[in-house]
Amino acid sequence: MKFASQLSVPTATTEAVNKTVFPVLFSISFAHLLNDMMQSVIPAVYPLVKDQFTLSFTEIGLITLTFQLTASLLQPLVGFYTDKNPFPMSLSIGMGFTFAGLLLFSMVNTYPLLLLSVALVGIGSSVFHPESSRIAHLASGGRKGLAQSIFQVGGNAGAAIGPLLVALIVIPFGMQGISWISLAAVIGMVLLWHVGKWYNNHLYLKRSRPVSSDGVNRPILSRTRIIAAIGILLLLVFSKYFYMACMTSYFTFFLMDRFHITPQESQFYLFAFLAAVAAGTIIGGPLGDRFGRKYIIWFSILGVAPLTLILPYVSLFWTIVLA
């Protein structure tokens, strides 16, 4: 197999550094799809969970908080550790946490166990993302934008597929249907085991600087300016995921309450919203190249504000269009 042939250590370091390894990129992107697909099942089943456990919206919010704390705040710690101590097989281990979390989620009968199950899924995400992003970087061959796009599109596509699986499997068959979805983690574990072996054989690339192919002299920025820029980006990313978490957690409830649609129908509309997120990932790259990345970043964050403010006052059709 072509992918298997990539597992051997190249003899020419320079060639390896500048060669884009597409089999690895597409494999890690597909693993990202599986990971984010399983994650997105959790907010998609909130209507079922709310009824089954008689939860308030505050308790629903605590589920989201538990997941976000373990899925987001642990990532820098994992990334800090693996920067100094690479652990290629941690990818499969992270997917194992996701498998255990979803399997437990499908069988829980108490609220504390529910929180534990989503925490396990969050831990799996924290382990997966730093190392998988690093692998995409190593396999880029210097084409970092392309590699990041391939990697990111996989995750966004998976997040959109999750609500469809809930509509087709979980709502008709109940919470036990989540156990079938968790089998995707087994596929991910096998795939990431092979990717991890490639990563282990190419750890020397971490110490190699990719040769720039564009011939552009990079500006030297002061430490203060770098910290300020990263700080702004962190605030923007925080705001983005703040409203994304709100939308994915409560959008279905809003649609069901305002337009009296069924839980199953609400999942298709949630899919439309998340599919638009994936489309934006694809569209944003070329727009950033054409109009400037800073303008696109600011517009993509601030531009949603007026659309969101209009949402409570329009019909179902325009609600989906604006969302």
Side-chain angles (χ1 to χ4, degrees):
M1 293 178 62
K2 185 177 180 181
F3 176 71
S5 67
Q6 303 289 347
L7 297 179
S8 59
V9 179
T11 56
T13 301
T14 302
E15 179 184 353
V17 168
N18 291 285
K19 182 179 180 181
T20 303
V21 189
F22 284 105
V24 173
L25 282 179
F26 289 127
S27 295
I28 203 68
S29 178
F30 182 66
H32 197 191
L33 182 150
L34 295 176
N35 182 81
D36 286 23
M37 177 190 76
M38 290 182 287
Q39 286 182 23
S40 67
V41 166
I42 293 174
V45 298
Y46 280 171
L48 296 182
V49 171
K50 187 176 185 297
D51 290 340
Q52 180 173 331
F53 293 91
T54 318
L55 302 179
S56 66
F57 283 115
T58 300
E59 290 170 318
I60 290 291
L62 286 175
I63 297 174
T64 299
L65 177 64
T66 300
F67 174 75
Q68 292 296 337
L69 287 176
T70 53
S72 301
L73 296 186
L74 282 180
Q75 282 196 41
L77 299 178
V78 174
F80 180 79
Y81 177 81
T82 54
D83 275 341
K84 298 182 177 180
N85 305 279
F87 187 18
M89 298 310 164
S90 64
L91 291 166
S92 289
I93 295 174
M95 195 65 76
F97 273 101
T98 300
F99 174 69
L102 272 189
L103 201 59
L104 178 62
F105 190 78
S106 68
M107 300 182 293
V108 295
N109 52 16
T110 64
Y111 186 67
L113 283 178
L114 192 66
L115 295 178
L116 174 62
S117 66
V118 299
L120 288 174
V121 177
I123 292 172
S125 178
S126 284
V127 175
F128 171 80
H129 279 97
E131 285 292 76
S132 59
S133 182
R134 194 192 329 276
I135 288 173
H137 173 82
L138 291 180
S140 69
R143 303 166 71 181
K144 299 176 185 177
L146 173 66
Q148 185 64 26
S149 296
I150 293 174
F151 174 71
Q152 196 63 38
V153 166
N156 288 338
I161 292 172
L164 284 183
L165 295 180
V166 170
L168 299 174
I169 299 175
V170 181
I171 291 180
F173 300 103
M175 293 290 288
Q176 291 77 14
I178 298 177
S179 61
W180 290 98
I181 298 175
S182 69
L183 295 178
V186 178
I187 299 174
M189 291 169 67
V190 174
L191 178 63
L192 290 173
W193 182 264
H194 290 286
V195 172
K197 288 196 293 184
W198 178 89
Y199 180 34
N200 188 57
N201 289 336
H202 291 75
L203 282 174
Y204 67 92
L205 294 181
K206 283 169 57 64
R207 298 183 294 271
S208 302
R209 292 186 62 183
V211 179
S212 176
S213 59
D214 54 16
V216 177
N217 293 323
R218 306 300 180 191
I220 299 176
L221 302 177
S222 68
R223 180 180 178 85
T224 301
R225 192 166 182 185
I226 291 173
I227 292 175
I230 292 177
I232 292 172
L233 284 173
L234 286 174
L235 287 174
L236 292 174
V237 170
F238 174 83
S239 69
K240 172 196 171 183
Y241 281 99
F242 183 87
Y243 69 72
M244 282 290 293
C246 291
M247 287 289 286
T248 54
S249 297
Y250 297 111
F251 191 47
T252 52
F253 292 110
F254 171 74
L255 294 175
M256 291 164 59
D257 180 69
R258 179 169 172 79
F259 301 107
H260 308 291
I261 62 176
T262 66
Q264 192 168 34
E265 289 174 320
S266 71
Q267 299 305 315
F268 291 112
Y269 293 129
L270 180 59
F271 162 76
F273 167 71
L274 294 172
V277 175
T281 304
I282 300 172
I283 297 170
L287 288 178
D289 292 337
R290 182 175 178 84
F291 299 106
R293 295 177 180 87
K294 285 191 291 185
Y295 294 112
I296 295 302
I297 290 173
W298 280 108
F299 178 76
S300 67
I301 300 295
L302 301 180
V304 302
L307 304 181
T308 307
L309 292 173
I310 298 171
L311 278 179
Y313 307 103
V314 295
S315 65
L316 176 60
F317 172 80
W318 285 108
T319 296
I320 304 306
V321 170
L322 292 172

